[in-house]
Amino acid sequence: MLIYRFLTGEDDAAFCHKVTKALAEGWQLHGGPTYAYDAVSKKMRCGQAVTRVARDQPYDPERKLVDY
């Protein structure tokens, strides 16, 4: 089963660390990053989709995706 997550955050080092941690845990980048301006916070926000194959595990909507 292919698992999909969309990571989001402020465009800063913490977001880069979040994506790097996901990659270190076996997730793979899915497409390119996205950027949008948040008019409320007046900051750029970014997002990155990541996927990972979870073998021999049935999908459970109650389970956190990071636990696969």
Side-chain angles (χ1 to χ4, degrees):
M1 169 179 58
L2 187 63
I3 303 169
Y4 172 91
R5 289 173 61 199
F6 189 69
L7 307 173
T8 61
E10 207 174 290
D11 188 12
D12 59 9
F15 178 76
C16 295
H17 285 285
K18 184 187 294 189
V19 174
T20 300
K21 181 177 185 275
L23 296 173
E25 292 172 346
W27 295 85
Q28 295 183 354
L29 297 177
H30 180 78
T34 59
Y35 296 94
Y37 181 70
D38 182 347
V40 174
S41 68
K42 296 184 172 42
K43 296 180 181 180
M44 291 299 292
R45 304 220 13 112
C46 48
Q48 175 64 58
V50 292
T51 60
R52 180 169 69 185
V53 174
R55 301 195 189 285
D56 304 322
Q57 295 186 43
Y59 176 67
D60 178 0
E62 300 297 319
R63 189 173 178 185
K64 290 183 178 183
L65 295 176
V66 296
D67 291 338
Y68 280 96

